[in-house]
């Protein structure tokens, strides 16, 4: 890394000078926005070029955020799934205008026979929730989860 600095509130490692603005914006979260704790890392072509962390991981105890602090994240799979679908589309593996059943024949039931990939990805398929009870064992078993999803009737 080209540049490394640390103070009581945050730690900064920057591998490329042109990325210094990211570190400054990160530091502002603590100095101007009262951020409690955070981390941010960028890999570029397999090299870690930005590695930032700082603040507190536990406000009650004052424990500092460390380089390896584990955090709970919510709703991140939507973005990652979207990226996967966009990548599959860009490589010709997926056509947004084709029916979901082209790729997943079991999906074509309960009135979902004509639902396109585009409709499914843009929340226009009427699939708001699952009617079937789904517990951890179902979520952990992708085959069982696929059956529950395929059997779901649109709202």
């Amino acid at each position: 890394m080209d540049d490394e600095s640390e103070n009581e509130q945050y730690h900064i490692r920057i591998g490329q000078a042109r990325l210094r603005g990211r570190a400054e914006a990160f530091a502002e979260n603590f100095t101007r926005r009262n951020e409690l704790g955070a981390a941010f890392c960028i890999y570029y072509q397999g090299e870690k070029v930005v590695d930032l962390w700082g603040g507190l991981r536990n406000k009650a105890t004052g424990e500092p955020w460390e380089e390896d602090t584990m955090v709970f994240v919510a709703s991140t799979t939507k973005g990652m799934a979207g990226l996967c679908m966009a990548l599959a589309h860009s490589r010709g593996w997926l056509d947004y205008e084709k029916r979901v059943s082209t790729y997943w024949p079991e999906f074509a039931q309960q009135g979902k026979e004509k639902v396109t990939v585009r409709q499914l990805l843009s929340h226009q398929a009427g699939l708001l929730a699952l009617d079937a009870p789904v517990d951890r064992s179902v979520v952990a078993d992708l085959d069982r989860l696929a059956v529950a999803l395929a059997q779901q009737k649109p709202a």
Side-chain angles (χ1 to χ4, degrees), residues 6 9 13 43 49 62 67 86 88 92 98 103-104 115 119 133 143:
E6 193 165 347
Q9 288 187 301
R13 284 186 197 159
Y43 280 83
V49 295
E67 181 175 13
K98 292 217 179 207
Y103 307 101
W104 182 15
V115 173
Q119 290 171 317
D143 291 330

PDB file of all heavy atoms in Angstrom, residues 6 9 13 43 49 62 67 86 88 92 98 103-104 115 119 133 143:
ATOM      1  N   GLU A   6      -3.289   6.447  10.647  1.00  0.00           N
ATOM      2  CA  GLU A   6      -4.183   5.981  11.691  1.00  0.00           C
ATOM      3  C   GLU A   6      -4.297   7.077  12.740  1.00  0.00           C
ATOM      4  O   GLU A   6      -3.362   7.811  13.003  1.00  0.00           O
ATOM      5  CB  GLU A   6      -3.612   4.705  12.317  1.00  0.00           C
ATOM      6  CG  GLU A   6      -4.566   3.973  13.184  1.00  0.00           C
ATOM      7  CD  GLU A   6      -4.092   2.557  13.483  1.00  0.00           C
ATOM      8  OE1 GLU A   6      -3.158   2.072  12.839  1.00  0.00           O
ATOM      9  OE2 GLU A   6      -4.685   1.950  14.373  1.00  0.00           O
ATOM     10  N   GLN A   9      -9.725   7.485  15.749  1.00  0.00           N
ATOM     11  CA  GLN A   9     -11.048   7.178  15.220  1.00  0.00           C
ATOM     12  C   GLN A   9     -11.050   6.238  14.026  1.00  0.00           C
ATOM     13  O   GLN A   9     -12.005   5.519  13.831  1.00  0.00           O
ATOM     14  CB  GLN A   9     -11.769   8.472  14.816  1.00  0.00           C
ATOM     15  CG  GLN A   9     -12.212   9.291  15.997  1.00  0.00           C
ATOM     16  CD  GLN A   9     -13.050  10.453  15.534  1.00  0.00           C
ATOM     17  OE1 GLN A   9     -12.592  11.269  14.755  1.00  0.00           O
ATOM     18  NE2 GLN A   9     -14.290  10.493  15.978  1.00  0.00           N
ATOM     19  N   ARG A  13      -5.648   2.685   4.790  1.00  0.00           N
ATOM     20  CA  ARG A  13      -4.597   2.149   3.921  1.00  0.00           C
ATOM     21  C   ARG A  13      -5.032   2.419   2.495  1.00  0.00           C
ATOM     22  O   ARG A  13      -6.096   1.969   2.071  1.00  0.00           O
ATOM     23  CB  ARG A  13      -4.437   0.640   4.095  1.00  0.00           C
ATOM     24  CG  ARG A  13      -3.735   0.213   5.333  1.00  0.00           C
ATOM     25  CD  ARG A  13      -3.517  -1.282   5.283  1.00  0.00           C
ATOM     26  NE  ARG A  13      -3.207  -1.785   6.599  1.00  0.00           N
ATOM     27  CZ  ARG A  13      -3.353  -3.027   6.970  1.00  0.00           C
ATOM     28  NH1 ARG A  13      -3.814  -3.924   6.119  1.00  0.00           N
ATOM     29  NH2 ARG A  13      -3.045  -3.408   8.177  1.00  0.00           N
ATOM     30  N   TYR A  43     -10.962  -4.024  -3.804  1.00  0.00           N
ATOM     31  CA  TYR A  43      -9.966  -4.818  -4.510  1.00  0.00           C
ATOM     32  C   TYR A  43     -10.043  -4.429  -5.979  1.00  0.00           C
ATOM     33  O   TYR A  43     -11.127  -4.301  -6.544  1.00  0.00           O
ATOM     34  CB  TYR A  43     -10.248  -6.312  -4.383  1.00  0.00           C
ATOM     35  CG  TYR A  43      -9.788  -6.899  -3.074  1.00  0.00           C
ATOM     36  CD1 TYR A  43     -10.581  -6.816  -1.939  1.00  0.00           C
ATOM     37  CD2 TYR A  43      -8.556  -7.530  -2.991  1.00  0.00           C
ATOM     38  CE1 TYR A  43     -10.150  -7.352  -0.733  1.00  0.00           C
ATOM     39  CE2 TYR A  43      -8.117  -8.077  -1.795  1.00  0.00           C
ATOM     40  CZ  TYR A  43      -8.920  -7.980  -0.669  1.00  0.00           C
ATOM     41  OH  TYR A  43      -8.492  -8.510   0.511  1.00  0.00           O
ATOM     42  N   VAL A  49      -6.582  -2.268  -2.824  1.00  0.00           N
ATOM     43  CA  VAL A  49      -6.097  -0.910  -3.061  1.00  0.00           C
ATOM     44  C   VAL A  49      -6.645   0.094  -2.053  1.00  0.00           C
ATOM     45  O   VAL A  49      -6.108   1.189  -1.920  1.00  0.00           O
ATOM     46  CB  VAL A  49      -6.386  -0.441  -4.506  1.00  0.00           C
ATOM     47  CG1 VAL A  49      -5.597  -1.280  -5.510  1.00  0.00           C
ATOM     48  CG2 VAL A  49      -7.863  -0.476  -4.822  1.00  0.00           C
ATOM     49  N   GLY A  62     -17.317   0.590  24.238  1.00  0.00           N
ATOM     50  CA  GLY A  62     -16.241   1.391  23.676  1.00  0.00           C
ATOM     51  C   GLY A  62     -15.203   0.587  22.916  1.00  0.00           C
ATOM     52  O   GLY A  62     -14.148   1.096  22.551  1.00  0.00           O
ATOM     53  N   GLU A  67      -9.600  -4.364  12.224  1.00  0.00           N
ATOM     54  CA  GLU A  67      -9.475  -4.754  10.818  1.00  0.00           C
ATOM     55  C   GLU A  67     -10.357  -5.953  10.481  1.00  0.00           C
ATOM     56  O   GLU A  67     -10.915  -6.038   9.402  1.00  0.00           O
ATOM     57  CB  GLU A  67      -8.014  -5.080  10.516  1.00  0.00           C
ATOM     58  CG  GLU A  67      -7.758  -5.465   9.077  1.00  0.00           C
ATOM     59  CD  GLU A  67      -6.287  -5.673   8.783  1.00  0.00           C
ATOM     60  OE1 GLU A  67      -5.495  -5.768   9.730  1.00  0.00           O
ATOM     61  OE2 GLU A  67      -5.948  -5.739   7.591  1.00  0.00           O
ATOM     62  N   ALA A  86     -27.114  -9.496 -14.096  1.00  0.00           N
ATOM     63  CA  ALA A  86     -26.585  -8.588 -15.124  1.00  0.00           C
ATOM     64  C   ALA A  86     -25.376  -9.204 -15.817  1.00  0.00           C
ATOM     65  O   ALA A  86     -25.238  -9.101 -17.049  1.00  0.00           O
ATOM     66  CB  ALA A  86     -26.224  -7.235 -14.500  1.00  0.00           C
ATOM     67  N   ALA A  88     -24.742 -12.464 -16.067  1.00  0.00           N
ATOM     68  CA  ALA A  88     -25.255 -13.570 -16.897  1.00  0.00           C
ATOM     69  C   ALA A  88     -25.865 -13.024 -18.189  1.00  0.00           C
ATOM     70  O   ALA A  88     -25.657 -13.584 -19.270  1.00  0.00           O
ATOM     71  CB  ALA A  88     -26.289 -14.380 -16.111  1.00  0.00           C
ATOM     72  N   GLY A  92     -24.647 -13.425 -22.330  1.00  0.00           N
ATOM     73  CA  GLY A  92     -25.561 -14.166 -23.191  1.00  0.00           C
ATOM     74  C   GLY A  92     -26.144 -15.411 -22.553  1.00  0.00           C
ATOM     75  O   GLY A  92     -26.746 -16.236 -23.238  1.00  0.00           O
ATOM     76  N   LYS A  98     -37.120 -13.630 -21.994  1.00  0.00           N
ATOM     77  CA  LYS A  98     -37.578 -15.033 -22.009  1.00  0.00           C
ATOM     78  C   LYS A  98     -38.353 -15.346 -20.737  1.00  0.00           C
ATOM     79  O   LYS A  98     -38.196 -14.707 -19.715  1.00  0.00           O
ATOM     80  CB  LYS A  98     -36.380 -15.977 -22.127  1.00  0.00           C
ATOM     81  CG  LYS A  98     -35.703 -15.880 -23.467  1.00  0.00           C
ATOM     82  CD  LYS A  98     -35.252 -17.216 -23.910  1.00  0.00           C
ATOM     83  CE  LYS A  98     -34.607 -17.023 -25.277  1.00  0.00           C
ATOM     84  NZ  LYS A  98     -34.677 -18.163 -26.076  1.00  0.00           N
ATOM     85  N   TYR A 103     -35.641 -21.361 -18.194  1.00  0.00           N
ATOM     86  CA  TYR A 103     -34.477 -21.726 -17.387  1.00  0.00           C
ATOM     87  C   TYR A 103     -34.843 -22.620 -16.200  1.00  0.00           C
ATOM     88  O   TYR A 103     -33.996 -23.351 -15.698  1.00  0.00           O
ATOM     89  CB  TYR A 103     -33.794 -20.452 -16.855  1.00  0.00           C
ATOM     90  CG  TYR A 103     -33.467 -19.474 -17.962  1.00  0.00           C
ATOM     91  CD1 TYR A 103     -34.269 -18.361 -18.193  1.00  0.00           C
ATOM     92  CD2 TYR A 103     -32.375 -19.686 -18.800  1.00  0.00           C
ATOM     93  CE1 TYR A 103     -33.983 -17.473 -19.222  1.00  0.00           C
ATOM     94  CE2 TYR A 103     -32.081 -18.803 -19.826  1.00  0.00           C
ATOM     95  CZ  TYR A 103     -32.897 -17.702 -20.033  1.00  0.00           C
ATOM     96  OH  TYR A 103     -32.613 -16.830 -21.061  1.00  0.00           O
ATOM     97  N   TRP A 104     -36.085 -22.522 -15.766  1.00  0.00           N
ATOM     98  CA  TRP A 104     -36.563 -23.243 -14.585  1.00  0.00           C
ATOM     99  C   TRP A 104     -37.974 -23.755 -14.884  1.00  0.00           C
ATOM    100  O   TRP A 104     -38.964 -23.124 -14.533  1.00  0.00           O
ATOM    101  CB  TRP A 104     -36.552 -22.285 -13.407  1.00  0.00           C
ATOM    102  CG  TRP A 104     -36.959 -22.815 -12.087  1.00  0.00           C
ATOM    103  CD1 TRP A 104     -37.089 -24.115 -11.700  1.00  0.00           C
ATOM    104  CD2 TRP A 104     -37.318 -22.020 -10.949  1.00  0.00           C
ATOM    105  NE1 TRP A 104     -37.491 -24.191 -10.399  1.00  0.00           N
ATOM    106  CE2 TRP A 104     -37.635 -22.901  -9.904  1.00  0.00           C
ATOM    107  CE3 TRP A 104     -37.396 -20.657 -10.710  1.00  0.00           C
ATOM    108  CZ2 TRP A 104     -38.035 -22.464  -8.655  1.00  0.00           C
ATOM    109  CZ3 TRP A 104     -37.782 -20.212  -9.464  1.00  0.00           C
ATOM    110  CH2 TRP A 104     -38.085 -21.110  -8.444  1.00  0.00           C
ATOM    111  N   VAL A 115     -44.585 -15.586 -17.006  1.00  0.00           N
ATOM    112  CA  VAL A 115     -43.737 -14.598 -16.324  1.00  0.00           C
ATOM    113  C   VAL A 115     -42.344 -14.601 -16.941  1.00  0.00           C
ATOM    114  O   VAL A 115     -41.707 -15.651 -17.070  1.00  0.00           O
ATOM    115  CB  VAL A 115     -43.648 -14.893 -14.812  1.00  0.00           C
ATOM    116  CG1 VAL A 115     -42.631 -13.983 -14.130  1.00  0.00           C
ATOM    117  CG2 VAL A 115     -45.006 -14.747 -14.162  1.00  0.00           C
ATOM    118  N   GLN A 119     -39.815  -9.491 -15.642  1.00  0.00           N
ATOM    119  CA  GLN A 119     -40.912  -9.289 -14.686  1.00  0.00           C
ATOM    120  C   GLN A 119     -40.541  -9.808 -13.300  1.00  0.00           C
ATOM    121  O   GLN A 119     -40.829  -9.159 -12.294  1.00  0.00           O
ATOM    122  CB  GLN A 119     -42.176  -9.989 -15.181  1.00  0.00           C
ATOM    123  CG  GLN A 119     -42.795  -9.325 -16.383  1.00  0.00           C
ATOM    124  CD  GLN A 119     -43.903 -10.174 -16.977  1.00  0.00           C
ATOM    125  OE1 GLN A 119     -43.770 -11.390 -17.117  1.00  0.00           O
ATOM    126  NE2 GLN A 119     -44.994  -9.519 -17.349  1.00  0.00           N
ATOM    127  N   PRO A 133     -45.008 -22.591   4.814  1.00  0.00           N
ATOM    128  CA  PRO A 133     -44.084 -22.286   5.912  1.00  0.00           C
ATOM    129  C   PRO A 133     -42.649 -22.650   5.512  1.00  0.00           C
ATOM    130  O   PRO A 133     -42.407 -23.719   4.950  1.00  0.00           O
ATOM    131  CB  PRO A 133     -44.584 -23.159   7.059  1.00  0.00           C
ATOM    132  CG  PRO A 133     -45.473 -24.174   6.450  1.00  0.00           C
ATOM    133  CD  PRO A 133     -45.950 -23.649   5.132  1.00  0.00           C
ATOM    134  N   ASP A 143     -32.994 -27.487  -2.848  1.00  0.00           N
ATOM    135  CA  ASP A 143     -33.990 -28.221  -3.628  1.00  0.00           C
ATOM    136  C   ASP A 143     -35.388 -28.031  -3.041  1.00  0.00           C
ATOM    137  O   ASP A 143     -36.343 -27.795  -3.778  1.00  0.00           O
ATOM    138  CB  ASP A 143     -33.629 -29.708  -3.701  1.00  0.00           C
ATOM    139  CG  ASP A 143     -32.384 -29.969  -4.538  1.00  0.00           C
ATOM    140  OD1 ASP A 143     -32.126 -29.190  -5.485  1.00  0.00           O
ATOM    141  OD2 ASP A 143     -31.663 -30.939  -4.244  1.00  0.00           O
TER     142      ASP A 143
END
